[in-house]
Amino acid sequence: MELLTIGAFARATRLSPKALRLYDELGLLPPARVDPVTGYRLYAPRQVERARLVAWLRRLGMPLVRIRHVCSLDAGAAAGEIRAFWARAEAEAAARRDLAHFLVDHLTRKDPAMAPTPPALHMRYAAASDPGLVRASNQDTAYAGSRLLAVADGYGAGGAPASAAAVEALRRLEEDGVPAGGLLNVLADAVEEAERAVYDAVGNGFAPEAAGTPEAAGTTLTAMLWTGSQLGLVHVGDSRVYLLRDGELFQITHDHTVVQAMVDEGRLTPEEAASHPQRSLLVRALGGGADATAEMRLQDARPGDRYLLCSDGLSTVVAGDEIRRVLAAPGEPGRAVRELVALANGSGGPDNVSCVVADVVTGG
């Protein structure tokens, strides 16, 4: 068998000689033979396919250590590793996109000192959580207070303590002073505290090796913190926030699910996503092996705004038009909360359902 010089092999594989020398040193792509006199590296033609795979994986941005592992697997297992790597890469890219949007929004806002003094605003609110008609227990937690609104949807064997721990970790924000200019840092710190609290609550269910197993446990977390003129949003998972403003309903969070990522990429339509069997598979959550990067944003409050925070036990079974109808009807937040829970249960109540409704009003 005629061996290829490093130059010929580099041309055949589209890898530079420098890269080939590095891959040799790492044991990733050792040459078939090293000339004992000249020290030249010589490669067998059968190594071309492996080298091209290495080159493709590098173009994906895969670390060399993981490439070495992938190259040691059979074709089916290697494909699974690549699929898992790319799913994580997409989730991380989405997290960076969310942060970029937040920072652009944060930096382009007008100086509060130059803005006219807004009218005094406060919130009226109500919360409810119901096990639904199918589940034996309730793993949701809902909370509404004068400054904090929150919904968490637990999953796994430790789902109930996970959701309760996440919300409880944020409740200190009810008492702490939060200057509007420092809201970003306050929210980021709060998510870290919530993640630690979930870890303490679920133990081994939080471990990275538990990801994808029945032992995995964790929670979504969607919360809004009131500063008096703005609401700071923190969001991880597929619970949602809706805003009813001037009679129109807006979903202001983005679901962190595999199916939503497929919709974003054009691989599924929203209609197909609604009935997809993996529509609840999360790419971000506070839990074992999950990406806990939170979506954060600032929301200017206006008198007359009505906010709804809800778990997917509502949004997956009650149509947006029905949600808008209930929120737009006159009445206190408590009435809206009760009717939304009743609608979810009237649609079969297949999951726990939690709702928080808050109205922005003027006056004391």
Side-chain angles (χ1 to χ4, degrees), residues 229-245:
S229 61
Q230 292 180 326
L231 285 158
L233 167 69
V234 57
H235 169 62
V236 184
D238 64 349
S239 296
R240 290 182 177 179
V241 178
Y242 292 93
L243 165 63
L244 182 76
R245 175 175 284 174

Side-chain angles (χ1 to χ4, degrees), residues 19-362:
L20 289 171
R21 286 190 286 270
L22 173 62
Y23 298 162
D24 177 17
E25 292 169 4
L26 295 175
L28 178 60
L29 193 60
R33 180 172 174 267
V34 178
D35 189 290
V37 177
T38 64
Y40 288 164
R41 293 172 171 84
L42 300 171
Y43 293 84
R46 66 174 182 274
Q47 292 182 281
V48 170
E49 184 176 354
R50 177 185 174 111
R52 286 177 175 168
L53 175 60
V54 171
W56 291 330
L57 293 176
R58 286 298 288 158
R59 290 182 66 183
L60 282 180
M62 185 178 286
L64 290 172
V65 172
R66 191 160 185 176
I67 290 176
R68 183 166 53 192
H69 174 60
V70 169
C71 289
S72 70
L73 303 173
D74 61 39
E81 280 290 312
I82 294 169
R83 189 179 301 113
F85 169 79
W86 191 243
R88 181 61 182 261
E90 288 181 324
E92 291 172 351
R96 291 194 297 271
R97 178 201 63 207
D98 291 343
L99 180 57
H101 289 171
F102 180 94
L103 292 172
V104 169
D105 182 55
H106 179 70
L107 294 171
T108 54
R109 287 173 179 267
K110 294 180 179 179
D111 184 347
M114 302 297 292
T117 303
L121 302 175
H122 72 283
M123 290 194 302
R124 289 198 298 256
Y125 48 84
S129 186
D130 189 272
L133 304 180
V134 175
R135 300 291 176 90
S137 62
N138 190 356
Q139 294 187 310
D140 284 3
T141 299
Y143 175 83
S146 60
R147 299 189 61 187
L148 177 69
L149 314 171
V151 166
D153 182 355
Y155 61 85
S163 69
V167 172
E168 184 61 30
L170 298 189
R171 288 187 62 176
R172 68 166 183 79
L173 299 176
E174 287 274 50
E175 289 77 36
D176 294 352
V178 183
L183 192 55
L184 172 61
N185 291 331
V186 169
L187 292 175
D189 291 345
V191 174
E192 290 184 5
E193 288 186 27
E195 187 177 14
R196 288 193 294 269
V198 173
Y199 173 86
D200 291 340
V202 303
N204 291 337
F206 201 92
E209 57 269 22
T213 72
E215 289 73 32
T219 185
T220 70
L221 178 63
T222 300
M224 301 190 85
L225 179 63
W226 174 247
T227 69
S229 61
Q230 292 180 326
L231 285 158
L233 167 69
V234 57
H235 169 62
V236 184
D238 64 349
S239 296
R240 290 182 177 179
V241 178
Y242 292 93
L243 165 63
L244 182 76
R245 175 175 284 174
D246 298 328
E248 291 190 62
L249 186 67
F250 305 92
Q251 181 183 331
I252 63 173
T253 52
H254 196 73
D255 293 345
H256 299 147
T257 62
V258 170
V259 167
Q260 183 60 53
M262 295 170 72
V263 172
D264 296 342
E265 295 162 10
R267 291 188 280 163
L268 282 180
T269 67
E271 292 74 22
E272 291 169 334
S275 58
H276 196 282
Q278 293 182 312
R279 62 184 177 274
S280 296
L281 188 59
L282 299 170
V283 295
R284 289 197 231 174
L286 303 182
D291 180 359
T293 305
E295 174 186 341
M296 293 185 289
R297 62 181 291 181
L298 298 175
Q299 187 75 26
D300 286 325
R302 297 183 189 175
D305 284 350
R306 171 168 276 191
Y307 287 91
L308 165 67
L309 287 70
C310 65
S311 62
D312 67 339
L314 177 73
S315 58
T316 58
V317 296
V318 179
D321 287 345
E322 279 293 280
I323 293 175
R324 192 202 68 79
R325 178 189 62 79
V326 173
L327 294 178
E332 294 295 311
R335 182 208 59 80
V337 162
R338 290 189 295 272
E339 187 168 348
L340 289 169
V341 171
L343 280 174
N345 287 334
S347 298
D351 197 359
N352 308 147
V353 56
S354 292
C355 300
V356 173
V357 172
D359 293 341
V360 179
V361 298
T362 58

